[in-house]
């Protein structure tokens, strides 16, 4: 059995060589990992890991998140995604990664909408200001165009992936890969 | 002494104040908004009064609602905590009018010190060294531009009503100035209800060193030593410690005297903090007076063995300090790390959401002033602070070791935190050498990314949890067998 | 300094030792039995070695297995904690033979002080006052009977190899003597591998006051002030505090000198405790020397700001103390409550089982040395101690208030604990007046039952949880509505 | 709806007058309780209780135990049983309360069996010694008789309700209601 996992931007392909009760042998890259584990309590597993002669004890805390599992080890937090499952899921909160869409980078509240529908905007012009935990973020137009639709108003709670302002791009311009938000 | 105190705040600081009230036999009353119906301060109070909608203006910033609540529950005093109305002179004045004891300085003192330009003027006259800059707020762009030219770039924009870095901006060149001023003014408006800003000369590589002061209503004023708060991100402190690695006995005496002077010059009463910038030649400049309990007050409590909230309440009740400067003896070293709900890999962007699992660090010399719990939904409307992790140890090295251990056993699942980031800051050479300047993070940890050298372990954990999960569902969790081999330490595991 | 230490113990004390090791950069190795496969000390160690079956004789009391484990992992030193092999001279000797540093006094010192009758003889010669009684162990009933007659009833049976109250019995009359001796001998046999017992005159209403001592290998000996441990059940301490309410500066000097004398007389090295009985006329009698870290050592750490485990390791590594008696300055007041898994309403009968939910108390000045977690199965084979709750505050009254608050927020679901009992002891007049004698519980809390005046609230909670449970199952947990009324404090609720 | 609850030795009959979302009115004894509650998290409920004008806030921690619910309030722990459900259940660990059965008062390990099957024992004679958490408890014969069966041996783990020694009572003796165990 094989897992294709993604941690941050790095891919890990892990092959399960064999498993029996509380023991697991895996191939990851060119290393073979022998793991003995205990499920200690909710969210908490303990691993005795042995790879190429070097072994150690690891406590890991795990939860199932919307974008994969959140795993904490030695004070560091990892978001681990299963690429196979990922493709099957409509990605949530992905919008923020697409440069030409105006969506908040985090759950937030709208504090200002400096433009109106039908208004012509220049690239980089502020089209919405949101605030989360007392930090303001200004969402700017990713390109020159006309404001086609505004989907949020002041005091609305908004979330990543939600398109707040739709802008009809001027056809004569080429798309700008960068930006979309700045704070 | 009071029998009932209303705590006009939320989160960890509201809980902090309630603890002391309980120990003093004083009933504590919480106020809460819609978002805080299940907040710890609401659940742990002796009494809880509903204020209104989640946005601060409709709840924690609504002076009349809070005055009304205090009347309703018959509290004799109000503790404002920090933030919200803590440094709002109008609120303090309304309390005075209503015959409610405001646990903090008199409104006129908050008024004069709260306006940073007035404060600078008071200090200048009092002979306390100040930073070159404007002495009054300004809104006309052309005047600001002229002032900036005169000071010479880089300049620092500050909110006249400011505090906590809100409305602050460093400006490197004239082109950035207009935009920066607009944003700063807007932020100040949102945070303090006033968009007034002014400019100061921006000092390079200073340390942020502040002195805690206590002044009673009988003219007794003492300082409780310094706190170094140079490690900041977005002009907000994230690591504080005391004593300061830069401090000498002579410098402490000189700065302490200046702090007490500042307090006397302003007619200060209750607990306050005099902030200074300290340059590499041991020159110090008055920055501002925070007329409230500081977020980082616990590190002072740790080295002095003193409860500052208890002192605030005693002073507000008219009691004399009962001790002098000579009685102030510190022991050991204390460090605080602020655990914000934010993403250190993404410009410390706020990360609100539900906390699915929380495991607080414990152990000798470890204190965690925490405002959240497993299952709590961290609101988007308020400060991103989840808890303050504080350690005490016999010396700085031991305190750093203890803090690193505490951070590594602090588990928070559900929101992003700077725990891994803080661990690396504490492990870094410059920090361990005490080279802590306000540009520390920009210099040493700009665009920090979490190392992935242990990521393979997360991959293993993923698969095990997946399998165990299925096993659990099938109700097949197997009984324990014997491990076949001793296990060796993973201390500095590398792939 | 050592790079790896094996901790030959379990539970909270093993974790306590590992914490200090980690802060000193020393790898810590745990040993564990079948019952402790998922124990915290096993899970949190840098390395964990399996010993054997759950019964102590096959694991934590098996000297050769532990020696073997230490060799296997390459530890340079062994920390025995308290209980198990901590005061076993043979174990210390085996370590010495193997070239392992035993973190404690030399085996010959353990030998001589461990045998309580020899210890009494040493002290008598050293001029330390001792309690009237036998100076050698005895097994013949007729001789014991004769000795008892000579001393006069009530007499106290003690195990020659004893400690922690195991094998102790108070005997009021001759008829009880044979049975009591049999039980005491059996208990001693089980606990220490030796059933040797002897008799002492039983003093009425004494206080148990002990002095912590530190002695390095270079002839430096200091005492770290006293601990009062008079509140006991079944001859086992449950509440300890320092300073002692009975202590005066003169008495402290006199007893402290005696403690240091006792250490010198026995050639003591490392940390130890000299126990005294103190009568109402300030006469004190040598009781015994505990040649190990005490369960209650944290209260000394709290008032001195000193890590005793670190001192033990430093001394064992041959380092000099580096400070003198004059440097020992205490601050404030500390109290410890032992949280046992036992039923205070039923003769403090042990209550092993699974801990379904655990919420540890937190806050300034609160420390909980805890060996269990939510989901842990408390084994039937070992000490019933779950955790030690320790508080520090500026004075005794504040410490009591803080401890009561901490106990009231300590939630343990699954096993019985004395938390409610401890809260009432702390709230009682005699305790608050400092009238703490070893007969305290028998006198004031005999056959204690938990008051039921708030039981109606439990009935309400039962019904709500029942309904909410059904609602949850139906997936109908409703969204939050507004409360319609302010809520008032339930402080002293009465039906 | 009515609940018959038992806390320690006291019975509480509670009548649910009416309930709507997060609110509950109950009659207990001669008091009427108005309760607003929140289910805060697992095991944790928060109540605002109002009875005859006096009101207060209460945090309660609850778990389902084998003998009812275990409930912690203000540092005190209560075992609350529903009498209706109780009658329907075969009581567990009740054996200890029956005077003429030899069963340990708590989960324990057998450390000594001083008698043999067929042996004649006198009332009060030690027939088994068990140990839990280093505390020894001696189980004694509740009456004169003959040891019919011994169901545990040294190092066995035993639990309340489990009959460790069966003794055939001498018919000529009347039963002794007291004792059964002493420690």
């Amino acid at each position: 059995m094989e897992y294709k996992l993604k941690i941050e931007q790095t891919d890990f392909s892990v092959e399960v060589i064999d498993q029996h009760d509380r023991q697991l042998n895996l191939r990851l890259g060119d290393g073979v990992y022998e793991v003995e584990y205990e499920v200690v309590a909710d969210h908490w597993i303990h691993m005795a890991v042995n790879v190429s002669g070097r072994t150690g004890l690891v406590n890991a805390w795990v939860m199932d998140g919307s974008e994969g599992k959140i795993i904490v080890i030695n004070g560091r937090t990892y978001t681990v995604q299963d690429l196979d499952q990922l493709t099957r899921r409509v990605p949530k909160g992905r919008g923020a990664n697409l440069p030409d869409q105006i969506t908040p980078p985090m759950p937030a509240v709208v504090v200002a909408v400096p433009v109106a529908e039908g208004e012509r905007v220049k690239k980089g012009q502020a089209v919405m200001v949101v605030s989360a935990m007392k930090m303001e973020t200004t969402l700017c137009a990713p390109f020159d165009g006309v404001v086609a639709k505004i989907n949020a108003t002041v005091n609305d709670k908004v979330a990543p992936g939600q398109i707040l302002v739709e802008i009809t791009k001027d056809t004569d311009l080429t798309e700008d890969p960068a930006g979309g938000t700045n704070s | 002494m009071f029998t009932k105190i209303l705590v006009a705040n939320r989160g960890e600081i509201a809980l902090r104040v309630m603890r002391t009230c309980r120990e003093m036999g004083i009933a504590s009353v919480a106020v809460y908004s819609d978002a805080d119906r299940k907040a710890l301060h609401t659940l742990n109070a002796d009494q809880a009064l509903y204020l209104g909608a989640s946005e601060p203006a409709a709840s924690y910033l609504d002076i009349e609602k809070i005055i009304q609540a205090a009347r309703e529950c018959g509290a004799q005093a109000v503790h404002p905590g920090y933030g919200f109305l803590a440094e709002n002179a109008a609120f303090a004045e309304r309390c005075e009018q209503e015959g409610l004891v405001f646990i903090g300085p008199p409104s006129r003192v908050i008024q004069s010190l709260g306006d940073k330009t007035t404060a600078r003027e008071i200090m200048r006259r009092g002979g306390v060294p100040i930073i070159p800059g404007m002495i009054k707020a300004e809104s006309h762009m052309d005047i600001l531009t002229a002032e900036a030219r005169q000071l010479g770039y880089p300049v620092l924009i500050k909110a006249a009503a400011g505090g906590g870095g809100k409305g602050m901006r460093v400006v490197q060149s004239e082109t950035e100035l207009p935009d920066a001023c607009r944003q700063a003014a807007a932020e100040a408006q949102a945070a303090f209800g006033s968009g007034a800003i002014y400019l100061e000369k921006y000092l390079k590589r200073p340390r942020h060193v502040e002195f805690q002061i206590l002044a009673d209503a009988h003219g007794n004023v003492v300082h409780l030593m310094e706190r170094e708060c140079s490690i900041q991100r977005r002009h907000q402190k994230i690591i504080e410690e005391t004593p300061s690695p830069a401090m000498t006995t002579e410098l402490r005496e000189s700065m302490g005297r200046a702090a007490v002077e500042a307090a006397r010059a302003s007619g200060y009463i209750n607990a306050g903090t005099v902030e200074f910038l300290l340059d590499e030649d041991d020159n110090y400049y008055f920055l501002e007076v925070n007329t409230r309990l500081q977020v980082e007050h616990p590190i002072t409590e740790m080295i002095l063995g003193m409860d500052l909230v208890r002192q605030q309440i005693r002073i507000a009740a008219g009691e004399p300090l009962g001790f002098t400067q000579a009685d102030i003896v510190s022991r050991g070293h204390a460090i605080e790390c602020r655990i914000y709900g934010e993403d250190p890999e993404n410009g410390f962007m706020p990360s609100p959401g539900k906390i699915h699992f929380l495991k607080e660090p414990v152990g000798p010399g470890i204190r965690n002033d925490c405002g959240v719990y497993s299952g709590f939904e961290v609101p988007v409307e308020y400060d991103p602070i989840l808890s303050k992790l504080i350690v005490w140890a016999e010396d700085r090295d031991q305190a750093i070791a203890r803090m690193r251990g505490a951070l590594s056993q602090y588990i928070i699942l559900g929101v992003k935190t700077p725990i891994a980031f803080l661990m690396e800051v504490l492990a870094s050479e410059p920090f361990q050498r005490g080279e802590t300047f306000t540009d520390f993070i920009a210099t040493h940890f700009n665009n920090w990314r979490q190392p992935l050298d242990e990521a393979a372990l997360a991959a293993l954990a993923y698969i095990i949890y997946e399998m165990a999960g299925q096993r659990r569902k099938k109700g097949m969790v197997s009984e324990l067998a014997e491990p076949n081999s001793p296990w060796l330490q993973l201390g500095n595991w590398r792939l």
Side-chain angles (χ1 to χ4, degrees), chain A, chain B:
Chain A
M1 184 177 180
E2 180 127 10
Y3 286 84
K4 298 203 181 314
L5 302 179
K6 186 158 178 291
I7 302 177
E8 311 308 320
Q9 297 321 316
T10 316
D11 290 359
F12 293 82
S13 108
V14 189
E15 182 199 344
V16 178
I17 300 167
D18 65 277
Q19 55 167 308
H20 28 283
D21 161 46
R22 291 176 40 257
Q23 300 196 16
L24 206 55
N25 288 353
L26 306 137
R27 180 173 290 104
L28 192 163
D30 46 15
V32 172
Y33 291 73
E34 297 163 36
V35 186
E36 284 171 16
Y37 64 89
E38 298 274 5
V39 177
V40 180
D42 292 352
H43 300 290
W44 182 7
I45 61 179
H46 184 265
M47 306 186 290
V49 182
N50 183 324
V51 58
S52 52
R54 305 183 45 267
T55 60
L57 302 187
V58 184
N59 286 295
W61 280 265
V62 190
M63 81 170 246
D64 292 305
S66 58
E67 315 217 333
K69 294 194 198 302
I70 312 298
I71 298 177
V72 176
I73 293 173
N74 295 337
R76 296 176 182 171
T77 303
Y78 307 87
T79 303
V80 185
Q81 301 176 299
D82 185 326
L83 289 170
D84 303 336
Q85 292 180 25
L86 215 54
T87 50
R88 275 183 255 107
R89 196 203 294 113
V90 181
K92 176 171 160 304
R94 283 264 163 287
N97 303 344
L98 307 175
D100 61 353
Q101 305 215 320
I102 294 157
T103 182
M106 79 298 250
V109 175
V110 176
V111 294
V113 187
V115 295
E117 290 184 2
E119 187 174 332
R120 161 159 297 285
V121 291
K122 292 227 142 292
K123 176 188 166 193
Q125 179 180 341
V127 295
M128 189 158 293
V129 183
V130 298
S131 164
M133 294 169 151
K134 297 168 85 175
M135 178 190 177
E136 259 194 28
T137 305
T138 304
L139 306 178
C140 304
F143 38 65
D144 296 4
V146 174
V147 175
K149 198 155 180 312
I150 297 178
N151 303 317
T153 165
V154 170
N155 283 334
D156 283 2
K157 282 198 185 188
V158 292
Q162 198 175 331
I163 308 306
L164 305 184
V165 179
E166 296 168 28
I167 298 175
T168 316
K169 187 173 174 182
D170 292 357
T171 44
D172 54 305
L173 282 165
T174 57
E175 188 186 311
D176 155 48
T181 83
N182 69 48
S183 58
Chain B
M1 182 47 69
F2 315 113
T3 59
K4 188 183 270 193
I5 291 177
L6 181 138
V7 182
N9 212 302
R10 64 176 302 282
E12 66 85 18
I13 192 59
L15 286 156
R16 163 73 190 86
V17 172
M18 289 178 188
R19 277 186 207 291
T20 294
C21 289
R22 194 151 297 164
E23 288 180 359
M24 295 178 76
I26 300 170
S28 53
V29 183
V31 289
Y32 65 97
S33 69
D34 285 330
D36 281 341
R37 190 170 305 290
K38 289 187 183 184
L40 275 184
H41 76 284
T42 311
L43 298 170
N44 290 346
D46 297 315
Q47 185 174 351
L49 297 170
Y50 174 73
L51 286 179
S54 301
E55 54 266 32
S59 47
Y60 301 105
L61 284 176
D62 187 325
I63 293 179
E64 287 315 314
K65 277 185 181 168
I66 289 168
I67 294 288
Q68 167 58 26
R71 269 216 232 80
E72 192 172 319
C73 68
Q76 302 103 350
V78 175
H79 196 299
Y82 56 71
F84 292 124
L85 298 173
E87 295 180 284
N88 183 311
F91 178 58
E93 194 174 3
R94 285 288 291 118
C95 289
E96 290 158 5
Q97 290 164 358
E98 294 287 330
L100 285 165
V101 177
F102 176 84
I103 299 174
S107 56
R108 53 175 170 68
V109 175
I110 300 175
Q111 180 66 56
S112 49
L113 293 177
D115 182 302
K116 303 288 174 267
T117 52
T118 315
R120 282 163 55 81
E121 184 51 23
I122 292 173
M123 296 309 149
R124 202 180 52 69
R125 278 198 254 93
V128 180
I130 62 171
I131 303 171
M134 300 166 60
I135 58 167
K136 55 183 284 297
E138 184 51 68
S139 55
H140 289 77
M141 209 47 237
D142 43 7
I143 302 180
L144 286 162
T145 313
E147 289 278 0
R149 277 202 197 129
Q150 197 194 311
L151 288 168
Y153 288 89
V155 297
L156 186 63
I157 307 175
K158 296 181 86 176
K166 306 246 156 24
M168 254 180 149
R169 289 282 188 293
V170 182
V171 184
Q172 300 292 349
S173 71
E174 190 158 320
T175 53
E176 304 170 15
L177 193 62
D179 229 40
C181 289
R182 190 196 57 74
Q183 282 191 17
E187 219 173 280
Q189 182 67 47
F192 318 108
S194 151
I197 56 169
Y198 69 101
L199 302 178
E200 260 179 20
K201 176 70 189 163
Y202 179 70
L203 300 176
K204 291 200 197 65
R205 309 205 76 215
R207 292 175 187 263
H208 177 114
V209 176
E210 61 188 26
F211 275 71
Q212 177 71 52
I213 55 137
L214 282 182
D216 65 16
H218 311 279
N220 305 302
V221 185
V222 299
H223 74 81
L224 303 181
M225 329 244 318
E226 77 281 3
R227 292 182 290 255
E228 163 137 8
C229 316
S230 302
I231 312 291
Q232 309 184 353
R233 59 113 183 86
R234 257 193 280 113
H235 303 293
Q236 241 181 10
K237 305 159 182 171
I238 57 174
I239 301 178
E240 302 100 342
E241 66 180 304
T242 180
S244 163
M247 198 51 59
T248 64
T249 312
E250 303 64 36
L251 184 58
R252 180 175 290 123
E253 264 172 30
S254 162
M255 292 181 78
R257 212 178 304 110
V260 169
E261 264 328 299
R264 292 198 186 281
S266 56
Y268 204 89
I269 300 175
N270 211 291
T273 296
V274 185
E275 296 188 328
F276 298 98
L277 286 182
L278 175 67
D279 73 16
E280 292 178 280
D281 313 319
D282 284 2
N283 303 314
Y284 55 91
Y285 306 91
F286 170 79
L287 206 52
E288 63 185 48
V289 178
N290 294 129
T291 58
R292 49 153 164 99
L293 194 65
Q294 293 284 81
V295 173
E296 59 272 21
H297 75 277
I299 58 176
T300 299
E301 295 185 315
M302 299 296 264
I303 62 163
L304 298 188
M306 183 186 285
D307 180 341
L308 288 182
V309 173
R310 182 180 288 261
Q311 295 300 333
Q312 284 190 296
I313 294 172
R314 287 185 54 245
I315 291 169
E319 295 183 15
L321 282 186
F323 52 84
T324 68
Q325 193 65 59
D327 301 318
I328 305 302
V329 183
S330 85
R331 169 191 280 175
H333 198 93
I335 303 176
E336 170 179 285
C337 285
R338 300 193 189 184
I339 310 302
Y340 288 110
E342 63 183 19
D343 182 0
E345 292 189 302
N346 182 14
F348 299 94
M349 194 78 77
S351 168
K354 179 172 184 175
I355 294 182
H356 290 268
F357 179 76
L358 176 75
K359 181 172 153 297
E360 295 186 57
V362 294
I366 296 176
R367 163 180 171 182
N368 191 39
D369 284 16
C370 187
V372 299
Y373 58 89
S374 295
F376 181 63
E377 187 84 36
V378 182
V380 64
E381 289 84 357
Y382 313 119
D383 244 14
I385 200 158
L386 306 176
S387 87
K388 297 168 342 194
L389 180 57
I390 305 113
V391 303
W392 177 93
E394 291 177 57
D395 59 39
R396 188 171 190 265
D397 291 345
Q398 289 182 40
I400 291 173
R402 183 162 287 177
M403 179 60 87
R404 291 174 67 185
L407 286 166
S408 70
Q409 51 158 305
Y410 199 166
I411 313 299
I412 301 178
L413 295 175
V415 302
K416 294 200 159 80
T417 75
I419 286 172
F421 174 80
L422 291 162
M423 284 173 70
E424 296 213 6
V425 170
L426 289 161
S428 69
E429 268 304 311
F431 184 87
Q432 300 207 343
R433 282 197 302 266
E435 294 165 0
T436 47
F437 307 100
T438 53
D439 65 355
F440 183 93
I441 286 175
T443 307
H444 304 292
F445 288 88
N446 201 20
N447 299 322
W448 174 83
R449 307 287 303 177
Q450 173 175 289
L452 288 177
D453 54 346
E454 292 183 7
L457 297 175
L460 303 185
Y462 182 101
I463 293 168
I464 288 169
Y465 200 74
E466 192 83 352
M467 291 179 162
Q470 291 156 3
R471 185 112 48 75
R472 267 201 306 281
K473 288 186 206 86
K474 300 204 202 87
M476 281 167 52
V477 176
S478 58
E479 247 335 284
L480 309 170
E482 238 122 285
N484 42 27
S485 68
W487 305 333
L488 296 169
Q489 134 97 308
L490 195 70
N492 33 31
W493 174 282
R494 294 289 175 265
L495 293 181

